[in-house]
Amino acid sequence: MSPLIIARLTVSDRAHQGVYPDKGGPELERIFSEEWNLPLQWHSLTVPDETATITSALRNWIDQKIPLILTTGGTGPTPRDVTPEATLAILEKQLPGLSEAQRMGSFSIAPTAILSRAVAGIAKKSLIINFPGNPKAISECLPPLIPAIRECLKHLSE
């Protein structure tokens, strides 16, 4: 069985500069690997909070026909948080339910979860989902989405 190829983009000025280690990206990999139960092959990159850089990385992976692209970080309300804008610039179809489920699933645990501006959707045959940068938030948001991700990837591969 061929592994599912997944690209993971960490968006963080400070992690990119080496001020602190990326914790969101490894948490995405850990949770997804535990929940998926099939072979996975990861591509990862850490970039600063810059729209053009984020968009370029996403386009590169879409052109490589990577079926699943997960981002972490840059989804909050601060001026430097631009991951949703960079993602929206390349999406052909939005899948708002994925992001709504993240916010609502975390809301009872952390009411500030509704400040997330994460988006999700499809570009060509790639599913792209924004996640928060906080590892605890990722562990709350990602597992409930796995069945929908499986279904979407099945449709995209047809």
Side-chain angles (χ1 to χ4, degrees), residues 80-155:
R80 293 287 297 162
D81 291 326
V82 295
T83 303
E85 289 76 15
T87 304
L88 287 169
I90 61 166
L91 290 182
E92 296 162 2
K93 293 181 180 180
Q94 289 188 53
L95 297 172
L98 291 168
S99 301
E100 291 165 5
Q102 286 185 57
R103 285 185 280 274
M104 295 319 299
S106 294
F107 179 69
S108 63
I109 300 163
T112 57
I114 59 173
L115 295 176
S116 170
R117 300 176 314 103
V119 298
I122 299 165
K124 295 185 181 175
K125 293 217 170 216
S126 297
L127 171 60
I128 303 169
I129 308 171
N130 298 159
F131 286 92
N134 182 300
K136 184 176 183 305
I138 291 168
S139 70
E140 296 161 5
C141 295
L142 179 54
L145 301 183
I146 297 293
I149 292 170
R150 282 187 197 278
E151 185 68 16
C152 187
L153 292 175
K154 184 174 91 176
H155 290 290

